[in-house]
Amino acid sequence: MATGAVALQLLVLQIRAAADSDRDAIWDIFHDVVATGDTYVFDPNTSREEALAYWFREDTHTYVAEQDFVGDAVSVPGKLAASPTGQLQDRQFVGSYVLRPNRPGLGAHVSNASFIVAKSARGLGVGRAMGEHCLSEARRLGFRAMQFNFVVSTNESAVHLWQQLGFKIVGTLPGAFRHSQKGYVDVYVMFRSLVD
Amino acid sequence: MATGAVALQLLVLQIRAAADSDRDAIWDIFHDVVATGDTYVFDPNTSREEALAYWFREDTHTYVAEQDFVGDAVSVPGKLAASPTGQLQDRQFVGSYVLRPNRPGLGAHVSNASFIVAKSARGLGVGRAMGEHCLSEARRLGFRAMQFNFVVSTNESAVHLWQQLGFKIVGTLPGAFRHSQKGYVDVYVMFRSLVD
């Protein structure tokens, strides 16, 4: 390694529409997410069938996020970008999200979305990247707003992320989530407009 | 008619679990309710199949309200109750409601309900009677709270009725209902506890 260079890993996140062949990978993450019973409304014992039926529901757009590990890289002082030292070595499935109308008929102009991130990829900005992608997709599909119906209040990193992406808490449901450790905790309804 | 007596109709409201044979009557009311596009989230063109699938969903308790018209009656001054002058003449189907968990799994302790009342029976207290019956059923089934996800803010009689039955507005969804006359109007999330 050149003197003064910093060792890096070059990771590239790709978000694309889900295919049937993604079902196993989605189920792995989904199961991991609900197993702890502290952030998601689904029962920790939700079956693969139920989970995938929900994730690929007829009215639903399903997306997946993959991380390509391009290889080690060196950052050379005085150069702006890192230079990869290798070819694509590994593709890892790191998350998925769904986007759908929150209500039928006369409420269908408001979208709803749900996100899952693999444990191994937490804290890397995957949730934020999917959130931004999701807002852009929702606009493209003509939705006028986005609503999260069930953000567990103790899931502070999620609440904070959605606030950073422009969502406001528009409602508080007292004790509406049965937290595996904390008992009944409040749930937020969060909302943001997609039109000016 | 005795002098000083007031002409009355004696009506008795009965609320019971729905049977398959109620499907036609439920669809008639449901269709009437959604047709105006001013109170209910369902598209005015919702099909019979969609409506009944929702109303008889697997996780759902379905009830109907029937009004027995016992006949004309006279209220005699100095007597507490009206006296029927005839036998049961007519049974009319006046409403229906559904009661279900609002969420699966770790949110399933909060119930949700929806109500429809026949046009011909509006203003007679059918909604209130079904609401009270529903709260009692929800308690009996062990729910800890009840949540309405989508009370159209301009439907003032509904908002007022639910407030009288102990519900509070816990959230406001900006412009979440596309009202047939008024355009995009706010929607309330209403909530009440069923435990002390």
Side-chain angles (χ1 to χ4, degrees), chain B residues 65-192:
Chain B
E66 286 173 315
Q67 197 167 250
D68 288 340
F69 173 54
V70 181
D72 296 321
V74 290
S75 166
V76 183
K79 291 190 79 169
L80 269 172
S83 307
T85 58
Q87 293 298 305
L88 175 66
Q89 296 185 3
D90 193 26
R91 174 164 289 178
Q92 206 190 341
F93 198 94
V94 291
S96 180
Y97 80 87
V98 293
L99 173 62
R100 49 176 59 136
N102 194 43
R103 297 277 157 199
L106 305 180
H109 56 288
V110 178
S111 61
N112 169 247
S114 294
F115 299 80
I116 50 176
V117 175
K119 253 189 213 160
S120 59
R122 304 270 166 86
L124 299 174
V126 174
R128 174 186 300 269
M130 289 199 298
E132 285 168 354
H133 188 271
C134 179
L135 287 168
S136 150
E137 282 293 283
R139 277 201 193 85
R140 187 180 68 78
L141 294 165
F143 287 110
R144 295 176 56 87
M146 189 175 291
Q147 180 176 330
F148 300 143
N149 301 302
F150 209 88
V151 182
V152 176
S153 61
T154 52
N155 188 3
E156 287 168 23
S157 58
V159 174
H160 186 62
L161 171 58
W162 303 136
Q163 285 173 329
Q164 284 187 320
L165 293 186
F167 287 81
K168 289 201 162 54
I169 295 170
V170 298
T172 301
L173 313 172
F177 182 68
R178 185 160 56 84
H179 192 291
S180 57
Q181 266 93 54
K182 300 177 182 171
Y184 296 106
V185 301
D186 291 354
V187 169
Y188 297 140
V189 180
M190 299 188 76
F191 194 96
R192 74 156 282 174

Side-chain angles (χ1 to χ4, degrees), chain A residues 9-20:
Chain A
Q9 292 189 319
L10 208 61
L11 303 169
V12 177
L13 192 70
Q14 262 196 346
I15 301 175
R16 59 166 173 81
D20 262 357

Side-chain angles (χ1 to χ4, degrees), chain A residues 89-126:
Chain A
Q89 295 186 2
D90 192 26
R91 172 164 289 180
Q92 206 191 342
F93 199 94
V94 291
S96 180
Y97 80 87
V98 292
L99 172 62
R100 50 175 59 136
N102 193 44
R103 297 278 157 195
L106 306 180
H109 56 288
V110 178
S111 60
N112 169 248
S114 294
F115 300 80
I116 50 176
V117 176
K119 255 190 210 159
S120 59
R122 303 269 167 87
L124 298 173
V126 175

Side-chain angles (χ1 to χ4, degrees), chain A residues 79-156:
Chain A
K79 291 190 80 173
L80 270 173
S83 306
T85 59
Q87 292 301 304
L88 174 65
Q89 295 186 2
D90 192 26
R91 172 164 289 180
Q92 206 191 342
F93 199 94
V94 291
S96 180
Y97 80 87
V98 292
L99 172 62
R100 50 175 59 136
N102 193 44
R103 297 278 157 195
L106 306 180
H109 56 288
V110 178
S111 60
N112 169 248
S114 294
F115 300 80
I116 50 176
V117 176
K119 255 190 210 159
S120 59
R122 303 269 167 87
L124 298 173
V126 175
R128 175 186 300 269
M130 288 199 298
E132 285 169 353
H133 188 270
C134 179
L135 286 168
S136 149
E137 281 294 282
R139 277 202 193 84
R140 188 180 65 80
L141 293 165
F143 288 110
R144 294 176 57 86
M146 188 174 292
Q147 181 176 331
F148 299 145
N149 301 301
F150 209 88
V151 182
V152 176
S153 60
T154 52
N155 189 3
E156 287 167 24

